[in-house]
Structure formats: C-alpha cells, structure tokens
Amino acid sequence: MHHDISTKILMTKCREEILRRLVGLEVSSSTVIEDVPQEAATLRRSDFPIIILDEAGTRRLVLVELETRWTPDIPFKLMEYRAYYLRKYHLETISTVLLLRPSKVAMGHYHDNEMDYHFRLVKIYEFDARWIIEEEILCLMPLVPLMRHGVESLDQADRLLYNSPLPSTDKGELLSIMAILSGLVSKALPLILHNRRRDIMIESAAYELFKREGREEGRKEGRKEGRKEGRKEGRKEGIKQGALHTSRENLMNVLEAHFGTVPAKTKTRINRLDDPAILKQLIQKAVTAASLDHFYQELDRLVKK
C-alpha cells in the first residue's frame, strides 16, 4: 500500500517529467483534474486524470494508473476510468498504466468479441537506470531501484539527490520515496538508505510512510514468528521474537548488500543474538563499516564470543 502512495506523491511532484521522459508525451504544461465521479465507486483519487497542453496549444486528456503489480482487472478499471472523463471533457484521451514490478503477462491491450482496446503500458522495470544517472534527471531518481541496473546505480542516484541544489524538503521527499520503492527489490536497501540519509528524510511527508511500513513489516514478522513459537508463548512473546528475527535478517541483508557473500559462521553468530539494542547498533555499524574485518571488530567489541 505504501509503495502505491509513495508513487502517487512522486506523480504529484514530478508528473510533467514522468509524462515527457517515460510516457513519451510532449508537455508544455499540465493540470490535474480534481473532480472524482461519485457514481463510479471504482474510480479512485489515487489515479491521475491530467489535462496537458503541448507547445502548439493542443489540449489532451491523459489518464495515468499507477500499479505496483499487474492484475487482470487493470484494463477494465482503465476503460471505466476513460469512459467517465472522455464523456465529460470530450478531449483526445491517452490511457496509461505505469507498472513498477516485472510481469510476464502484462499487455497494453484488451480484446473480446466486441472490443479491441489499446492503451500505453509503461514498464518501469524495462528502463535502464544508467540513463537517469547520466542525464541527472532528479525527479526520476526514486524510480532507479526498480529499473534495469537499478541496484548497482542506487548509490549514484542517492548521492546526486543528496548533493543536488533542490530544497532540503524536496530532497527528503525524493530520498524517502526512493527508500520505500527500493523495498520492492530488497529488504536491505531501505534500511541502508534510511541510515545514510535519515537527517534529511525526516523533513518529508513520505518519511512517515517509510516509518509506518517498517512498523507494519515488524508486526507481520512478529505474527509469523509467534505462530512458529506456538500459541503457548502468547502474542507478546511472538511479537518480540518476530522483531528479533527481523533485526537479525536485516543485519544479514545489509552485510550481504554491502560486502557480498558472508561466511556461514557469521550468520550462526548473528542468529544467537537476542539483544535488540545490540542488533540495532550492529546494523548501523554494518552500513558504515569499511570492510567485513572492521565489522567483526565492532561485533567482538559489542558481543563476547
């Protein structure tokens, strides 16, 4: 859910850049239509009806649906969406789906015995992140982790945003959204970005989504671990063990993301840790350590063998 909300924040802040660079439209100016049809319950404020104006003065209606994953009902939602706004505004209409996660079955058309409906399907995961980096398109940096070569380009995207001339609130917003979206690729990446840029991320509204997602993930792991431990231990113990499990897993994810393969004996040692405060310190050390040996020194200092 928070991935969807974060992309909507991004669309609000950077819609013209998204329409130009990703959808391929000529846009001189754009206006989001605020009215939402009351008679159609499936049409939501999370979708974006936008009137664009090109340099020749031509007005078009662009309907943008942001989707984390492909589902078979997406074309039907888009058709209903299109019918309402086309009937109301009588403008040339361009229907668009921005799809974040890879799908083997996603397609930009729907066909049956009466209808042949085509729309623009923009697969974010097929774009090359290195293009965003080379051209320093700041507004699109939050989408880098979802693109081809995205993980390897993430550090550059992070630095470009952090060192950019953007106001600190805008930087914090874009960095927070990038951290949230990176969670679609790896559980370790949001933690790395958060620990690195928390100073500026806390200034943004999207940071609240980041914190909320972390709490919900912790509760989910807590419930899962609680079921494994058995009902006798109770919900409180389950949540506690789940939080410990999540912290250990996050620590291993950070180490592997930062240093590559980690020895099995290190994982065994980490799995024995049961102090949340020590685990929290070790995660921070894993993010900043210059090498595995440096991390082992901190581990030995905090935990007796």
Side-chain angles (χ1 to χ4, degrees):
M1 171 62 84
H2 300 320
H3 304 112
D4 295 335
I5 298 172
S6 64
T7 53
K8 273 107 184 161
I9 296 174
L10 182 65
M11 190 68 190
T12 300
K13 297 180 70 68
C14 302
R15 65 177 178 273
E16 292 182 5
E17 201 73 88
I18 289 171
L19 292 174
R20 289 191 196 101
R21 303 277 190 162
L22 302 182
V23 184
L25 297 175
E26 182 185 328
V27 183
S28 178
S29 63
S30 67
T31 305
V32 175
I33 300 171
E34 297 294 339
D35 70 299
V36 177
Q38 299 300 313
E39 66 273 23
T42 58
L43 299 183
R44 302 155 290 152
R45 287 188 180 274
S46 57
D47 300 314
F48 279 85
I50 304 166
I51 292 179
I52 66 170
L53 191 69
D54 63 21
E55 292 183 357
T58 304
R59 296 170 77 235
R60 292 185 177 91
L61 177 60
V62 182
L63 305 177
V64 179
E65 173 91 6
L66 293 153
E67 296 289 348
T68 302
R69 56 179 56 82
W70 180 262
T71 59
D73 66 334
I74 287 175
F76 300 109
K77 290 193 296 183
L78 204 56
M79 281 189 277
E80 185 176 7
Y81 196 35
R82 184 181 190 274
Y84 172 84
Y85 286 104
L86 181 59
R87 188 168 62 243
K88 183 167 184 177
Y89 290 94
H90 302 285
L91 291 173
E92 178 187 341
T93 302
I94 302 169
S95 305
T96 306
V97 174
L98 300 182
L99 185 61
L100 305 185
R101 303 187 77 173
S103 169
K104 294 181 179 180
V105 297
M107 58 183 67
H109 70 272
Y110 168 79
H111 175 78
D112 62 25
N113 64 306
E114 291 187 339
M115 179 177 293
D116 191 10
Y117 174 53
H118 292 261
F119 54 92
R120 298 196 185 198
L121 176 60
V122 180
K123 299 176 179 178
I124 300 299
Y125 50 89
E126 290 188 350
F127 285 88
D128 193 326
R130 294 172 297 185
W131 160 59
I132 307 296
I133 300 298
E134 289 170 6
E135 298 201 18
E136 298 189 12
I137 311 170
L138 297 177
C139 254
L140 300 187
M141 293 295 172
L143 296 173
V144 160
L146 305 177
M147 298 177 173
R148 288 188 298 113
H149 305 290
V151 174
E152 64 198 65
S153 303
L154 192 56
D155 284 346
Q156 289 176 278
D158 169 68
R159 285 195 299 272
L160 285 169
L161 270 179
Y162 191 76
N163 296 322
S164 73
L166 292 173
S168 61
T169 51
D170 288 345
K171 286 195 232 181
E173 204 82 79
L174 295 175
L175 287 165
S176 296
I177 294 170
M178 185 162 67
I180 292 170
L181 295 181
S182 71
L184 293 172
V185 178
S186 163
K187 287 185 177 180
L189 293 177
L191 190 64
I192 293 172
L193 292 171
H194 170 263
N195 289 342
R196 186 187 297 165
R197 302 302 186 199
R198 182 181 179 276
D199 62 321
I200 192 168
M201 285 166 62
I202 57 176
E203 299 181 27
S204 73
Y207 183 68
E208 290 303 314
L209 295 175
F210 182 91
K211 291 194 298 182
R212 201 179 309 161
E213 182 153 291
R215 289 195 295 268
E216 289 180 5
E217 184 66 25
R219 284 196 292 268
K220 185 191 301 180
E221 290 294 337
R223 289 191 295 269
K224 179 180 177 182
E225 193 67 21
R227 286 192 294 271
K228 289 181 180 179
E229 293 295 321
R231 293 180 180 178
K232 291 181 180 180
E233 295 299 321
R235 183 178 178 185
K236 183 176 180 181
E237 182 64 19
I239 292 175
K240 177 183 176 182
Q241 292 301 319
L244 285 171
H245 173 80
T246 300
S247 295
R248 297 184 193 115
E249 186 177 65
N250 285 341
L251 177 54
M252 282 301 303
N253 284 336
V254 172
L255 288 171
E256 289 172 354
H258 201 174
F259 302 113
T261 304
V262 177
K265 63 180 182 180
T266 302
K267 185 174 182 179
T268 300
R269 193 173 176 191
I270 287 172
N271 283 336
R272 292 174 182 163
L273 299 177
D274 59 3
D275 186 328
I278 289 178
L279 282 164
K280 182 177 179 181
Q281 290 183 65
L282 286 173
I283 289 171
Q284 294 172 343
K285 298 297 182 184
V287 171
T288 58
S291 65
L292 261 179
D293 288 338
H294 183 201
F295 172 77
Y296 290 147
Q297 292 173 11
E298 295 297 331
L299 180 60
D300 291 339
R301 182 177 68 82
L302 292 169
V303 184
K304 293 182 180 180
K305 293 184 179 180

